[in-house]
Amino acid sequence: MEPLTIVTSTAVPLIRDNIDTDIIIPSREMRTVGKKGLGDGLFANWRYTDAATRTPDPGFVLNKPESQGAQILLGGRNFGSGSSREHAVWALAEYGFRVVIAESFSPIFHGNCIRNGLLPVVLDPAPLARPGLEITVDLPAQKVRAEGRNWSFEIDGEHKTILVNGLDPIGMTLELNDRIVAHERADRHARAWAWSVLQAES
Amino acid sequence: MASTLFSKLWDIHEICNLGGSVSLIQIDRILLHERTGGVALMALEEAGRKVRDPSRVFVTMDHVVDTLPGRTDKTIMPTGTDFIVATRDAARRAGARLFDIGNARQGIVHVMSPENGIVLPGVTLVCPDSHTCTQGAFGALAWGIGSSEAEHALATNTLRVARPKQMRITVNGRLPEGVTAKDLALHVIARLGSGGAQGHVIEYAGEAIAALTMEERMTLCNMATELAAFTAVIAPDAKTLAWMDGRPYAPAGADWDKAVADWEALATDPDATFDLEHEFDAADVSPMVSWGTAPQQSVTLNGHVPADDEDRGSLAPSNPEADGRARDYMDLRAGDPLSGLPVDAAFIGSCTNARLSDLRAAAALLKGRKVAEGVKAICVPGSGQVKAAAEAEGLHHTFLDAGFEWREPGCSMCFFAGGESFGERERVISTTNRNFENRQGPKTRTHIASPATVAASAVTGRITDPRELEA
Ligand code: SF4
């Protein structure tokens, strides 16, 4: 995973509450079994007047000239709610976004962001919502800066470490294998019922 | 120290703290389906990693499989076959247990898991599916994750989890006659709002919860994700034990006795505290229906589409921008009554309301009646076992005679995968859990309600309170 430290870019304001993962990537856009080829389907129902022919809707914020090349998205409350589909995060990342700033996130979407190098910043995006405004998101310092002002944000230490260093959580966990094995050994004894049923073929 | 059900589940499974609120949690059961599970298995292979313990991995086909009679691997959804074949092949290579098309125990993941005793009280269970919270009804810590998290669970039997805050929702008294668990779920969501349980695990407790059957508890817990909750849990009791006894993957013999002792110790201690408490009175709950494009946008069946400046009483406050968009999408105006609104289609299915009791409730209203002229009506049992049990009672005759389609088990038109859908601007009354824009098809308008309400509305062709029809 690509490390994420400081991102400077314009921000795309899409500040509506409860933007769900069906909106971020409609299910019909998930055509292949893999994680790729999703950027074109991002916000397909809003972005195109006709999704089949990919005719852009000039009124949609993502299609505006000042949004081109933006790496920061501003969202509303409960961003990424609904389906657990990680395709929503893959689509955002493939399109080029590296940061989403919103007042709150759905828990599954938040977890998916961390696993894919997309930074979820929990912050009121209203003061940042001006077309073309350049914003700097500084993850090590946990600050968002724009026009000489700055705002602090909170992030779990573990999540920050993973993002800043571009770490692979599975690799990190496998280094704790001794702890896992010890816990399993004790649990197999204490809760034999949870284990034995798996061994029998039903 | 006094402890909650959630804290007990967490403590049993916590391997170590990883700093801050994040701990390494042992995962006992992993469920996968072809829509998001296959990609996890394949990505793991590509990374050169192995499934650590295939015996705890269960795979079902539910999301993109067709539900028409005589189905095969071919799907109406373009490329759906790829998902089925890739998931099946990956499951076989991994040595996971597979509930494939044609298997009598295949079904929607959150329906077939409890039927088979895959979920058990006291276990941790994850699935790359947001409605995994359904299975918290059994006193398991069961929650939805993404595909990468599923890879992590498959490779390590663990997850790195940020400990959620705790909320208790106590429902006092008894639900009135003719009011269902679905109505209770919508009642709660309409009050707390779509983000109402953000960051929290919900424990449902109180007299009304104790009085619910296991199937009703599943319906209630199913919609915890509609509150943005981490998940929901209900303490195991005699009903939970009765459900589990004899299920294929439930413990037996001496293991059963030990399990029961462990399960009975899980209940929240009397002095335990929560970060947040909400109380509801079951007597206040009436049949509900959604009017908008979020489950929070729901009112009682005799209610109307609220105006922006209206006093909403105990309902979540209005968001004029979102409400306006929802009214436009649904082609409704403030003040419009829900009851009597003509519908084009009726759908009975999904992990919320496609179990045997749901089909019985609908069939009781459909018996001797016909679906209104021009209404497309579909019933999709939640699993092969539900379908077989319903057919053993002759319920399929009732549905078919009334003019319903009787389908093979799966998610079907609970969501639009790119294949089958209700048409543009069609108004659908549906037992599903999400009324999002385009959820059941491009521009389709979904109203979510209980199976009884959907059946009654199918018969009259208009949104109808089932209690009127019975009278
Ligand atoms: S029935 Fe609907 S909500 Fe349930 S798992 Fe399937 S698609 Fe998801």
Side-chain angles (χ1 to χ4, degrees):
Chain A
M1 215 166 67
E2 203 185 323
L4 190 150
T5 51
I6 297 173
V7 178
T8 299
S9 121
T10 51
V12 180
L14 193 57
I15 307 183
R16 287 182 198 158
D17 292 351
N18 304 314
I19 289 186
D20 58 68
T21 52
D22 284 68
I23 294 172
I24 300 171
I25 183 92
S27 190
R28 61 155 198 283
E29 297 288 347
M30 297 157 52
R31 296 197 181 101
T32 64
V33 187
K35 305 179 176 183
K36 299 268 156 56
L38 295 158
D40 261 5
L42 182 71
F43 293 116
N45 286 333
W46 286 356
R47 186 167 150 203
Y48 306 113
T49 50
D50 179 5
T53 59
R54 297 287 194 237
T55 314
D57 178 348
F60 184 58
V61 64
L62 211 56
N63 296 326
K64 301 245 156 100
E66 66 269 20
S67 299
Q68 302 317 303
Q71 298 178 58
I72 301 172
L73 182 66
L74 309 180
R77 277 174 295 198
N78 200 22
F79 190 89
S81 57
S83 158
S84 68
R85 67 183 64 150
E86 196 159 321
H87 305 71
V89 170
W90 298 331
L92 285 165
E94 188 177 313
Y95 182 85
F97 285 115
R98 302 227 62 202
V99 181
V100 183
I101 302 178
E103 249 181 276
S104 61
F105 292 89
S106 128
I108 301 176
F109 180 86
H110 188 277
N112 288 342
C113 284
I114 305 294
R115 295 288 176 262
N116 291 280
L118 186 70
L119 169 63
V121 175
V122 180
L123 192 70
D124 178 5
L128 305 166
R130 248 189 311 113
L133 179 66
E134 193 166 86
I135 296 174
T136 294
V137 177
D138 183 337
L139 176 56
Q142 296 182 214
K143 292 253 188 253
V144 174
R145 297 189 199 95
E147 295 184 306
R149 295 177 66 193
N150 70 78
W151 297 264
S152 301
F153 62 89
E154 296 295 319
I155 183 168
D156 209 286
E158 146 113 356
H159 296 159
K160 181 173 169 177
T161 308
I162 288 174
L163 287 170
V164 169
N165 302 300
L167 298 177
D168 162 28
I170 298 181
M172 290 161 69
T173 299
L174 287 172
E175 282 171 24
L176 299 169
N177 194 42
D178 291 352
R179 309 283 296 265
I180 299 171
V181 169
H183 190 272
E184 286 184 339
R185 195 176 298 128
D187 190 56
R188 213 184 270 268
H189 181 70
R191 294 190 315 146
W193 55 265
W195 294 78
S196 55
V197 289
L198 297 177
Q199 307 315 317
E201 191 39 68
S202 296
Chain B
M1 210 186 87
S3 184
T4 62
L5 166 58
F6 166 77
S7 299
K8 293 177 191 185
L9 292 167
W10 183 271
D11 291 348
I12 291 167
H13 293 90
E14 184 179 33
I15 297 167
C16 56
N17 180 268
L18 299 170
S21 70
V22 179
S23 287
L24 191 63
I25 297 295
Q26 178 182 300
I27 303 300
D28 297 327
R29 304 285 184 270
I30 303 165
L31 285 161
L32 302 173
H33 59 65
E34 82 280 27
R35 188 57 158 165
T36 59
V39 64
L41 284 169
M42 287 165 63
L44 199 65
E45 281 182 347
E46 269 165 38
R49 288 182 167 132
K50 280 212 156 37
V51 174
R52 185 177 167 110
D53 176 12
S55 79
R56 70 182 67 188
V57 184
F58 297 80
V59 185
T60 191
M61 303 284 178
D62 55 3
H63 273 66
V64 304
V65 290
D66 279 1
T67 51
L68 292 164
R71 65 181 172 188
T72 62
D73 284 1
K74 286 223 172 58
T75 59
I76 302 170
M77 176 203 158
T79 75
T81 305
D82 298 351
F83 285 82
I84 294 169
V85 173
T87 301
R88 174 186 298 137
D89 291 351
R92 286 199 182 131
R93 286 194 299 271
R97 289 185 167 94
L98 178 62
F99 295 73
D100 210 338
I101 303 169
N103 183 324
R105 293 195 268 151
Q106 172 267 343
I108 303 173
V109 60
H110 315 304
V111 180
M112 56 74 70
S113 165
E115 277 173 352
N116 288 290
I118 296 168
V119 66
L120 295 170
V123 301
T124 45
L125 178 152
V126 294
C127 174
D129 191 279
S130 58
H131 290 99
T132 309
C133 49
T134 311
Q135 306 188 42
F138 294 89
L141 192 59
W143 73 100
I145 54 175
S147 299
S148 298
E149 291 275 78
E151 279 175 55
H152 189 288
L154 289 164
T156 69
N157 289 350
T158 69
L159 281 178
R160 310 169 80 95
V161 192
R163 186 183 173 111
K165 288 194 277 228
Q166 300 188 60
M167 169 191 295
R168 177 160 59 189
I169 297 181
T170 306
V171 188
N172 300 312
R174 290 293 185 99
L175 289 175
E177 188 65 28
V179 176
T180 69
K182 178 64 156 291
D183 301 313
L184 175 59
L186 290 173
H187 179 94
V188 170
I189 295 165
R191 280 156 182 79
L192 300 186
S194 299
Q198 189 100 52
H200 289 77
V201 53
I202 300 169
E203 177 171 350
Y204 280 108
E207 186 192 348
I209 306 302
L212 296 178
T213 65
M214 292 315 300
E215 299 199 349
E216 291 170 328
R217 292 178 192 179
M218 283 189 257
T219 300
L220 179 64
C221 290
N222 176 269
M223 295 191 71
T225 186
E226 267 47 80
L227 290 160
F230 172 75
T231 188
V233 288
I234 295 176
D237 62 8
K239 287 179 187 171
T240 321
L241 301 188
W243 173 284
M244 285 300 164
D245 197 3
R247 301 274 168 186
Y249 294 100
D255 276 344
W256 171 261
D257 297 337
K258 177 63 172 56
V260 167
D262 285 357
W263 298 346
E264 285 174 341
L266 289 172
T268 292
D269 300 328
D271 296 337
T273 55
F274 290 78
D275 298 289
L276 213 50
E277 296 251 19
H278 290 288
E279 280 200 47
F280 292 93
D281 193 339
D284 295 342
V285 184
S286 301
M288 299 282 291
V289 63
S290 70
W291 61 266
T293 53
Q296 144 181 6
Q297 292 164 325
S298 294
V299 291
T300 56
L301 267 175
N302 57 9
H304 58 265
V305 177
D308 293 338
D309 55 0
E310 188 174 322
D311 175 10
R312 300 200 176 190
S314 58
L315 295 183
S318 81
N319 173 334
E321 201 262 320
D323 286 5
R325 263 187 78 86
R327 285 194 298 265
D328 287 348
Y329 183 87
M330 298 297 290
D331 191 29
L332 293 169
R333 275 144 300 276
D336 283 356
L338 271 301
S339 179
L341 200 62
V343 295
D344 304 294
F347 182 78
I348 296 176
S350 90
C351 56
T352 319
N353 279 127
R355 285 172 276 266
L356 186 59
S357 57
D358 300 313
L359 305 195
R360 281 182 184 154
L365 281 149
L366 295 173
K367 189 122 197 123
R369 294 191 169 106
K370 292 259 184 258
V371 169
E373 181 86 25
V375 172
K376 183 185 173 86
I378 298 171
C379 178
V380 188
S383 72
Q385 292 191 71
V386 169
K387 182 168 183 261
E391 290 181 352
E393 293 181 13
L395 298 185
H396 59 312
H397 294 306
T398 308
F399 280 100
L400 288 164
D401 291 349
F404 265 80
E405 291 180 40
W406 181 250
R407 294 277 187 108
E408 296 294 324
C411 298
S412 192
M413 280 191 271
C414 170
F415 82 116
F416 175 61
E420 248 190 315
S421 73
F422 296 102
E424 290 195 7
R425 285 174 283 277
E426 297 281 282
R427 193 176 295 284
V428 187
I429 182 94
S430 178
T431 66
T432 50
N433 44 41
R434 287 188 174 140
N435 50 344
F436 297 166
E437 287 182 20
N438 308 301
R439 171 77 178 177
Q440 292 188 300
K443 301 201 171 70
T444 298
R445 298 169 179 144
T446 301
H447 294 270
I448 49 179
S450 74
T453 301
V454 172
S457 307
V459 165
T460 62
R462 295 167 179 280
I463 295 182
T464 300
D465 189 326
R467 297 173 301 186
E468 281 168 31
L469 209 63
E470 281 158 325

